[in-house]
Amino acid sequence: MTKEILAHPWFGTWVAALIAVPLALLAHRIGGLVLRRITRPAPTIHTMVVNCNAAARLVLPLVALNVVWQGAPDDLRFIGNVRHFTGLLLIASSTWLAVKAISGFADGVLAQNPSDVSDNLQARRVLTQTRVLARTAATVVLVAGGAMMLMTFPGARQVGASLLASAGVIGIVAGLAAKPVFSNLIAGLQIALAQPIRIDDVLVVEGEWGRVEEITGTFVVIKIWDERRLILPLTYFIEKPFQNWTRHSAQLLGAVFIYADYGMPLAPLREEVERIVKAAPEWDGRFFNLRVTDATERTMQIRVLCTAATSGLAFDLRCSVREGLIDFMQREYPQFLPKMRIESDGPQEREQPRQMAAAPGVA
């Protein structure tokens, strides 16, 4: 039995494989420890190395096996099929490793730019670019990996080659952009580079006020103020107009409109506005004022402007100012609240039509 095993054509190849795989795992173990220690001062690279650990544990043994199979005699039975199968596994695992590297690098970049701070404009810019570009790069890697796997089959080699190179890079981009699904991929690149929107931006879109909760490879999720979610394709933000309240800064100028009778004195109102705004914790200390901005036949329109650090604080500040002014006028100047005047005619005017109506009868 032993002689039969030793005489088997695959014996030497099996022994080489049994030696190569443990050596590859040992190299992965030692190399992983060394890389983690070396990259510790660089958090972004360190996160990428840690994220690639599982995929590398599969790639290295497959590389070792592929070397063994390539060194085996070409006339060995089934060696062609084994080489092909191992090659497919190696391409798939390498694609997985590349995707994990992209994901780990993105996680490292995001960890260095936390968005849970008060002034998070730069962090949100990095967050949006990193996520969109990482998803795009991962998609490209997956397409390339699938094309390379197809190219290993003689019958599908032409298909894989056409996906990867035959039409040229420009032809591929143009062909992908022509498809509705892949047009969102191009829109995602535009959003990542030009950044008309970012994660946590405050938008007014389709008549709804909300924040950008998520940007995927095909759509954007808007979290509306009442907890609903508005789902829009990426191409919407390239082709249609919308409001972005946090494009360059989260600071906002809020407006409050009050209507009062013409008899309302403005000086007490200005003093009350100053008291309310300065006492409000939402006010950021930049600016406030009161102006009469319009006058109708019945009332005058009074506008109060006040600033806040974010749109949410601006909304709360506007509510506080509005409530405070209404309460002040109800207490101090209720006679000057908006009213509808109805003036009746005097006694003489009321009697004169009766006399005129009775005159023909007297005659």
Side-chain angles (χ1 to χ4, degrees), residues 125 129 187-198 238 247:
R125 181 181 294 113
Q129 286 183 332
L189 289 174
Q190 291 178 284
I191 288 175
L193 297 176
Q195 291 204 333
I197 60 172
R198 293 177 295 266
I238 303 299
R247 179 70 178 87

Side-chain angles (χ1 to χ4, degrees), residues 81-95:
N81 294 332
V82 172
R83 287 173 178 171
H84 188 203
F85 181 70
T86 307
L88 289 175
L89 290 179
L90 180 58
I91 294 173
S93 61
S94 299
T95 303

Side-chain angles (χ1 to χ4, degrees), residues 1-251:
M1 184 68 178
T2 305
K3 291 182 180 181
E4 292 178 357
I5 296 175
L6 293 176
H8 197 281
W10 275 89
F11 178 74
T13 306
W14 287 340
V15 172
L18 290 175
I19 295 174
V21 171
L23 287 178
L25 292 175
L26 180 62
H28 168 266
R29 178 68 175 174
I30 297 174
L33 293 174
V34 172
L35 284 176
R36 273 193 282 258
R37 182 177 296 273
I38 292 175
T39 59
R40 194 165 295 167
T44 301
I45 305 299
H46 182 75
T47 304
M48 183 177 67
V49 169
V50 173
N51 206 48
C52 293
N53 183 64
R57 188 184 295 118
L58 179 61
V59 170
L60 290 180
L62 287 173
V63 170
L65 284 175
N66 195 56
V67 172
V68 171
W69 304 150
Q70 293 300 324
D74 293 336
D75 59 350
L76 197 61
R77 191 180 181 186
F78 302 122
I79 188 62
N81 294 332
V82 172
R83 287 173 178 171
H84 188 203
F85 181 70
T86 307
L88 289 175
L89 290 179
L90 180 58
I91 294 173
S93 61
S94 299
T95 303
W96 180 33
L97 177 62
V99 171
K100 294 294 287 183
I102 293 170
S103 175
F105 185 81
D107 291 342
V109 171
L110 297 180
Q112 297 300 304
N113 296 271
S115 58
D116 55 348
V117 295
S118 57
D119 186 10
N120 61 356
L121 181 61
Q122 177 63 24
R124 290 189 293 110
R125 181 181 294 113
V126 173
L127 174 64
T128 303
Q129 286 183 332
T130 303
R131 284 189 176 178
V132 175
L133 291 177
R135 289 193 180 103
T136 304
T139 302
V140 172
V141 168
L142 289 173
V143 172
M148 293 177 66
M149 293 179 72
L150 284 175
M151 291 175 66
T152 62
F153 296 91
R157 185 168 297 167
Q158 187 62 35
V159 178
S162 63
L163 281 176
L164 190 62
S166 64
V169 177
I170 297 177
I172 292 174
V173 173
L176 295 179
K179 303 292 183 180
V181 174
F182 292 105
S183 62
N184 280 317
L185 179 63
I186 306 300
L189 289 174
Q190 291 178 284
I191 288 175
L193 297 176
Q195 291 204 333
I197 60 172
R198 293 177 295 266
I199 299 294
D200 206 37
D201 265 350
V202 177
L203 306 182
V204 177
V205 55
E206 295 291 320
E208 301 284 0
W209 183 96
R211 293 181 178 272
V212 179
E213 184 177 48
E214 185 180 2
I215 301 177
T216 71
T218 54
F219 58 86
V220 177
V221 180
I222 308 295
K223 182 180 179 181
I224 303 174
W225 63 273
D226 58 0
E227 301 296 331
R228 289 178 294 148
R229 300 299 192 277
L230 181 64
I231 312 297
L232 295 168
L234 287 175
T235 52
Y236 181 95
F237 297 94
I238 303 299
E239 300 171 355
K240 295 185 179 181
F242 59 92
Q243 295 183 39
N244 189 335
W245 288 10
T246 53
R247 179 70 178 87
H248 296 291
S249 172
Q251 294 176 337

